[in-house]
């Protein structure tokens, strides 16, 4: 038995004990749902570098830690504590979760228009009107990802967003997941389910952050269903403690003429992994994926994306950019998959990386897998230092060497953040980018 398998057994034993899984389960479907996840994880265990999909991400530091389940019982957190991450003043509603559990006293609750809802997933499961069981687990595949299986087995709460047919929620819905530090490392398994019915429109922001430095694991799964003609803009901002671990899977299903716009930002965590899988399952569906990674020192960020084209005339566009400093390492593995039925597909993918240190490393692997003959698909990848000719140009106009490097690095990422239509998220990311590179305010790109 390998060390990884032994640690998997310890994980399951400890999590099952601390979650109190021997208590009665009210919903038989939920009991089966969780059991399937636990059984699948027990069969596969934690992935290692021998698994092709995890070849460049070493999970050994994570596998050695005996995490216990987080409880969410932290009365010391106040609204002042969460202010740095809140966008409540510009959001339609803001739900706050502490260690994976909904915390209403920290949330900002407002009624949404025309029957739209954003509530605790645990509460939605208890409400038969919500019919959560029709969607939960329908898209995120426990067979494909062991961490999705782990989340399925052990999630206890999260968010449920439902936008009825023809309804538009004009302000963003903010889901703020905060992790706390404790003497013993903890793990939380937030689950998010977003259902936008036909012709519905909504924007949802997921923020993952910490209240203080500490060792913990956030293992999050988000499922998004966008019906025929629905439009969903989704932002995920990961600002975990740099001592923590973040594993996230986002699974998206698009109906006919559905539109999905994604923005992903990887800023924190010691080791982070994001899987974003988009299935274009209706004719004329469209997806645009944007991502930034900004890390340093010994941080590692791994982004895996899949654009799965199953029907004709579905355009998709993807741009991921990374800035790596110190001994940071990054991974981008993006695949465009075009099935035989998906004629007239037009898909473009690009990965670009700036290395600010000789010790930084990037592994980029864009891929095309095409079974149709009438398509236009391209992909490209570039990795390198800041362009010295551009630095020379700025210096010739009176900008110092350090300021020139900062400005070019900032502008490199701002090309992506400028595409975010949710103003408070865009501003916050650009402030973080500027602050990390010491860019003077008079040289920053001004956005509204």
């Amino acid at each position: 038995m390998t060390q990884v398998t032994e640690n998997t057994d310890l994980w399951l034993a400890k999590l099952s004990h601390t979650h109190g899984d021997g208590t009665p389960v009210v919903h038989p479907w939920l009991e089966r749902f969780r059991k399937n996840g636990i059984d699948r994880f027990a069969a596969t265990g934690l992935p290692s570098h021998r698994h092709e999909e995890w070849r460049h991400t070493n999970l050994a530091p994570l596998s050695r830690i005996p995490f216990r389940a987080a409880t969410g019982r932290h009365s010391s957190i106040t609204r002042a504590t969460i202010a740095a991450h809140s966008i409540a003043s510009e959001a339609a509603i803001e739900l706050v979760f502490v260690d994976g559990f909904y915390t209403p006293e920290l949330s900002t609750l407002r009624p949404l228009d025309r029957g739209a809802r954003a509530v605790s997933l645990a509460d939605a499961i208890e409400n038969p009107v919500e019919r959560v069981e029709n969607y939960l687990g329908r898209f995120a595949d426990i067979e494909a990802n062991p961490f999705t299986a782990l989340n399925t087995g052990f999630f206890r709460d999260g968010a449920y967003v439902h936008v009825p047919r023809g309804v538009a929620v004009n302000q963003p819905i903010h889901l703020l997941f905060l992790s706390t530090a404790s003497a013993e490392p903890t793990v939380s398994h937030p689950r998010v389910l977003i259902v936008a019915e036909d012709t519905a429109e909504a924007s949802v922001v997921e923020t993952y952050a910490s209240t203080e430095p500490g060792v913990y694991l956030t293992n999050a799964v988000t499922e998004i269903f966008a019906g025929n003609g629905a439009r969903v803009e989704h932002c995920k901002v990961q600002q975990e403690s740099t001592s923590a671990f973040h594993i996230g899977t986002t699974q998206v299903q698009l109906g006919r003429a559905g539109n999905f716009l994604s923005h992903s930002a990887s800023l924190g965590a010691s080791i982070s992994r994001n899987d974003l899988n988009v299935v274009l399952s209706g004719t004329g569906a469209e997806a645009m994926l944007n991502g930034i990674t900004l890390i340093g020192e010994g941080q590692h960020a791994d982004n895996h994306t899949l654009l799965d084209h199953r029907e004709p005339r579905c355009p998709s566009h993807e741009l991921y950019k990374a800035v790596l400093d110190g001994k940071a390492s990054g991974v981008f593995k993006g695949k465009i998959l075009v099935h035989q039925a998906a004629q007239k597909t037009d898909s473009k993918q690009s990965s670009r990386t700036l290395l600010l240190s000789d010790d930084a490393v990037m592994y980029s692997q864009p891929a095309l897998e095409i079974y149709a003959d009438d398509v236009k698909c391209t992909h490209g990848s570039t990795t390198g230092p800041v362009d010295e000719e551009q630095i020379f140009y700025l210096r010739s106009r009176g900008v110092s060497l350090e300021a020139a490097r900062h400005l070019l690095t900032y502008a490199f990422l701002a090309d992506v953040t400028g595409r975010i239509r949710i103003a408070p998220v865009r501003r916050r990311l650009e402030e973080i980018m500027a602050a990390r590179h010491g860019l003077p305010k008079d040289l920053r790109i001004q956005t509204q």
Side-chain angles (χ1 to χ4, degrees):
M1 180 180 291
T2 67
Q3 182 67 34
V4 170
T5 304
E6 290 173 355
N7 286 333
T8 298
D9 294 339
L10 289 172
W11 272 36
L12 285 173
K14 188 158 190 175
L15 288 178
S16 295
H17 172 72
T18 55
H19 271 304
D21 286 348
T23 58
V25 177
V26 177
H27 307 288
W29 70 266
L30 185 58
E31 182 178 24
R32 292 191 299 270
F33 181 73
R34 287 177 172 154
K35 184 178 185 303
N36 288 340
I38 292 171
D39 289 348
R40 178 59 183 169
F41 183 76
T44 61
L46 291 168
S48 72
H49 66 275
R50 291 188 296 273
H51 295 81
E52 178 60 29
E53 293 299 304
W54 295 83
R55 186 155 59 98
H56 298 298
T57 297
N58 180 14
L59 294 179
L62 181 148
S63 69
R64 290 191 290 264
I65 300 174
F67 293 99
R68 66 172 178 82
T71 63
R73 302 190 188 104
H74 292 275
S75 59
S76 61
I77 297 181
T78 64
R79 286 188 176 270
T81 309
I82 71 171
H85 305 289
S86 172
I87 61 169
S89 62
E90 298 179 78
I93 190 171
E94 182 173 84
L95 304 185
V96 178
F97 301 80
V98 177
D99 293 332
F101 291 87
Y102 175 52
T103 311
E105 61 270 24
L106 297 178
S107 301
T108 300
L109 306 178
R110 303 183 183 99
L112 300 178
D113 292 338
R114 300 169 57 194
R117 286 172 57 73
V119 297
S120 155
L121 180 58
D123 291 344
I125 289 172
E126 295 304 317
N127 185 348
V129 175
E130 302 290 3
R131 303 178 69 183
V132 170
E133 65 272 24
N134 289 350
Y135 293 97
L136 193 64
R138 182 176 164 188
F139 310 114
D141 186 3
I142 63 173
E143 301 293 324
N145 189 323
F147 285 98
T148 298
L150 189 67
N151 177 285
T152 298
F154 291 106
F155 88 92
R156 286 301 175 270
D157 206 350
Y160 174 59
V161 177
H162 178 223
V163 185
R165 180 187 179 98
V167 173
V169 180
N170 295 320
Q171 291 180 292
I173 295 167
H174 188 207
L175 311 176
L176 175 55
F177 294 91
L178 293 171
S179 293
T180 60
S182 61
E184 191 175 2
T186 60
V187 56
S188 62
H189 304 278
R191 190 88 179 203
V192 176
L193 176 61
I194 300 169
V195 178
E197 295 185 0
D198 294 353
T199 67
E201 297 184 22
S203 55
V204 180
V205 180
E206 294 180 42
T207 299
Y208 294 86
S210 60
T211 59
E212 55 193 330
V215 179
Y216 59 85
L217 166 63
T218 300
N219 176 36
V221 172
T222 296
E223 295 177 280
I224 300 174
F225 172 75
N228 298 333
R231 301 175 62 87
V232 175
E233 181 171 5
H234 179 256
C235 294
K236 179 180 178 181
V237 180
Q238 186 269 104
Q239 289 180 268
E240 306 277 20
S241 161
T242 53
S243 303
F245 305 90
H246 181 95
I247 309 292
T249 296
T250 302
Q251 185 73 41
V252 184
Q253 194 85 10
L254 298 180
R256 186 179 67 255
N259 184 284
F260 178 67
L261 176 57
S262 167
H263 310 284
S264 174
S266 298
L267 309 172
S270 172
I271 296 175
S272 65
R273 164 70 177 246
N274 284 297
D275 284 75
L276 173 55
N277 308 312
V278 182
V279 179
L280 296 91
S281 59
T283 301
E286 182 173 1
M288 180 176 288
L289 313 184
N290 301 311
I292 66 167
T293 296
L294 178 58
I295 56 175
E297 298 307 322
Q299 289 179 274
H300 176 84
D302 183 344
N303 284 289
H304 273 51
T305 66
L306 171 64
L307 285 163
D308 188 349
H309 292 258
R310 299 188 180 181
E311 295 295 332
R313 294 183 292 279
C314 293
S316 65
H317 305 273
E318 179 175 11
L319 176 60
Y320 268 62
K321 288 190 173 185
V323 173
L324 310 181
D325 204 353
K327 294 184 178 180
S329 56
V331 179
F332 173 81
K333 186 172 183 180
K335 176 188 277 190
I336 298 171
L337 173 60
V338 183
H339 295 260
Q340 186 174 6
Q343 303 293 336
K344 304 293 184 182
T345 290
D346 184 352
S347 187
K348 299 177 178 64
Q349 179 192 89
S350 180
S351 167
R352 301 175 188 173
T353 303
L354 276 183
L355 301 179
L356 303 184
S357 162
D358 291 339
D359 296 321
V361 179
M362 182 67 180
Y363 304 96
S364 184
Q365 188 178 348
L368 302 176
E369 188 173 335
I370 302 172
Y371 299 98
D373 54 15
D374 185 7
V375 302
K376 291 192 297 183
C377 294
T378 62
H379 64 70
S381 175
T382 62
T383 299
V386 178
D387 191 322
E388 293 298 328
E389 289 187 6
Q390 293 178 347
I391 290 177
F392 177 80
Y393 176 84
L394 290 174
R395 293 201 67 191
S396 69
R397 276 144 182 81
V399 180
S400 70
L401 175 61
E402 184 179 15
R405 289 185 181 276
H406 290 330
L407 180 60
L408 290 173
T409 302
Y410 177 80
F412 175 78
L413 292 178
D415 174 43
V416 180
T417 57
R419 303 176 181 208
I420 301 174
R421 295 182 296 199
I422 303 172
V425 176
R426 182 179 66 250
R427 290 196 305 266
R428 179 157 296 170
L429 288 177
E430 292 179 351
E431 283 297 316
I432 291 170
M433 287 154 40
R436 288 202 183 181
H437 292 286
L439 191 66
K441 287 190 175 182
D442 59 341
L443 291 178
R444 298 179 189 179
I445 296 172
Q446 301 300 313
T447 60
Q448 298 300 316

